[in-house]
């Protein structure tokens, strides 16, 4: 497996696994993430997977205390050495079946104020945009930007649309948007410039759930299912 290590400040190491957003690179990121999760590493504070990297944040004091005979060795060097040992155990066939998550979406109307803009941009009807969007083969590459916000790849280039020239100051939680060839769901109310085409009643961020506050994780497969306004309201009441 090809990778490089580089420091991020004095408390973190970045494992660089690729240079572009690709399925193969994502599989490497997922494999490294699974391996780290299976270990008990005393100096590890947290780790963050992204499109092409996994960043490990460490506690330098714990490293210094646990490596007293080697006080002249920098914590960064110790971490890099242990990461190399850890990654040497990784094999190419360590893959897990992805979890499939269904996301119901009420498209258009007040929930999708940019649906017509997306349709006009591609000379399509709004129904065609909905059909294309709800039939994509989607993969969650990473969680970021806001708590629980999924960056989702796999959307058809037929409806890829640039971000809005003027971002909105408030986007309601559950809003489904398009930015370039990516689609995503806003888990909380936040500013943003994605083209909004619908909304889901499903809560993607639940801060009271200490075990898993984010509904989605990197590696999940997503299926968007069109629903009516009545179905949306019924599902919203069940949340």
């Amino acid at each position: 497996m090809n990778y490089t290590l580089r420091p991020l400040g004095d408390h973190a190491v970045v494992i660089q696994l690729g240079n572009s957003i690709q399925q193969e690179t994502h599989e490497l990121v997922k494999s490294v993430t699974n391996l780290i999760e299976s270990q008990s590493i005393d100096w590890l504070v947290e780790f963050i997977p992204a499109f092409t990297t996994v960043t490990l944040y460490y506690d330098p004091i714990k490293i210094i205390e646990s490596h007293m005979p080697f006080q002249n060795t920098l914590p960064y060097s110790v971490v890099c050495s242990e990461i190399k040992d850890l990654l040497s155990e990784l094999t190419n066939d360590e893959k897990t079946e992805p979890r499939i998550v269904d996301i119901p979406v009420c498209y258009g109307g007040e929930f999708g104020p940019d649906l017509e803009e997306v349709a006009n941009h591609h000379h399509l009807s709004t129904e065609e945009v909905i059909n294309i969007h709800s039939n994509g083969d989607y993969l969650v590459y990473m969680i970021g930007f806001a708590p629980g916000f999924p960056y989702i790849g796999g959307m058809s280039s037929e409806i890829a649309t640039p971000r809005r020239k003027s971002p909105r100051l408030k986007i309601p939680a559950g809003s489904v948007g398009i930015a370039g060839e990516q689609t995503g769901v806003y888990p909380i109310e936040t500013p943003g410039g994605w083209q909004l085409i619908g909304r889901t009643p499903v809560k993607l961020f639940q801060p009271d759930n200490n075990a898993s506050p984010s509904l989605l994780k990197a590696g999940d497969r997503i299926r968007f299912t069109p629903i009516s306004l009545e179905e949306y309201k019924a599902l919203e009441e069940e949340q």
Side-chain angles (χ1 to χ4, degrees), residues 31-41 47 86 89 94:
S31 295
V32 171
T33 299
N34 290 340
L35 181 61
I36 294 171
E37 284 181 334
S38 70
Q39 305 296 309
S40 178
I41 306 174
F47 62 92
L86 183 63
E89 304 173 13
E94 290 184 13

Side-chain angles (χ1 to χ4, degrees), residues 18 36 57 60 62 70 81 83 90 95 97 104 108 131 161 163 167 172 179 198 203 216 229-230 233:
I36 294 171
Y57 289 84
K62 284 189 176 181
F70 311 101
S81 177
I83 288 174
L90 197 63
K95 294 183 180 180
E97 285 298 315
N131 183 60
T161 310
R163 296 168 184 259
K203 293 183 179 180
L216 301 176
L229 179 59
E230 291 72 22
K233 291 180 178 178

